[in-house]
Amino acid sequence: VPEKIYVKDPESSILGKRIVEHSIILIDKIGFDTFTFKKLGVLIGSNESSIYRYFESKHNLLLYLSSWYWAWIEYQLVFETHSISDKKEKLKIAIDIVSRTTKKDSKFSHINEVFLNNIIINENSKSFLTKEVDQENKDGYFVVYKRIVQRLRDMIQDAEPNYPFASCLASTIIDGSLHQHFLKDHFTSITDCKSDVNPSDFFINLTLNTLKL
């Protein structure tokens, strides 16, 4: 996670990890708009001021959670595709990784990835739809997210070098999968994704047909 996002690294202390752990639980439960550091402080039994020692605002906390999520996805993307030589198969697996339904990862005991994924689906756009987005982008706040898009773009170009819109397709897959997960949960009449049809199925089909692979 980019260091400028936080005041003090929450991974460096037990309190910091509790702040991250319970902020995920609370935001997933009540939503980001009604979430406050005061409510979080009550939940973890700590003063509101102690949370400000780690994050200067709840916006920065959301940026931290978003960056952590995309770094976790990037780890899976690199780990699960590094030994695959078939370019079409590699691309299919990559699309599945960035758009599949999230499962709990036991490696990180203080972070519930399923709850975090819910937050990314419902709240991620609030981390960048702000007046400060250009400056925050210059400061590197979104570097992990952009790196994920670029990795997927490179795999698209490897599979079909002549396709002229690889970056557009990559960002559409990643952002579109979040939108389809949201529709699947809330507006079922305007999506074909259901309990047995994952957004990854749609985006794999879309990409292979678009690239004519």
Side-chain angles (χ1 to χ4, degrees), residues 20-83:
V20 171
E21 176 184 7
H22 290 280
S23 67
I24 292 171
I25 294 171
L26 190 57
I27 294 172
D28 181 50
K29 182 178 180 180
I30 68 174
F32 182 70
D33 290 339
T34 56
F35 168 85
T36 65
F37 282 175
K38 184 176 181 179
K39 292 176 182 178
L40 177 59
V42 171
L43 183 62
I44 65 175
S46 182
N47 294 328
E48 184 180 354
S49 58
S50 66
I51 302 171
Y52 281 104
R53 288 201 288 269
Y54 290 85
F55 299 100
E56 66 178 25
S57 68
K58 73 174 193 176
H59 172 67
N60 282 59
L61 173 58
L62 182 61
L63 285 168
Y64 179 89
L65 297 179
S66 176
S67 292
W68 194 99
Y69 175 82
W70 292 120
W72 178 63
I73 294 294
E74 183 181 32
Y75 167 78
Q76 296 174 68
L77 188 64
V78 173
F79 182 77
E80 295 183 34
T81 64
H82 79 282
S83 62

Side-chain angles (χ1 to χ4, degrees), residues 4 20 42 47 74 88 92-93 124 130 180 185 188 194 198 210:
K4 286 188 176 182
V20 171
V42 171
N47 294 328
E74 183 181 32
K88 178 180 176 180
K92 287 171 61 179
I93 292 173
N124 184 60
T130 67
Q180 289 301 319
D185 292 338
T188 57
K194 298 174 174 44
N198 198 283
T210 298

Side-chain angles (χ1 to χ4, degrees), residues 88 159-160 163 169 204-213:
K88 178 180 176 180
E160 178 43 80
Y163 184 67
L169 182 55
I204 289 171
N205 179 279
L206 175 68
T207 300
L208 296 185
N209 279 284
T210 298
L211 301 180
K212 298 179 174 58
L213 295 178

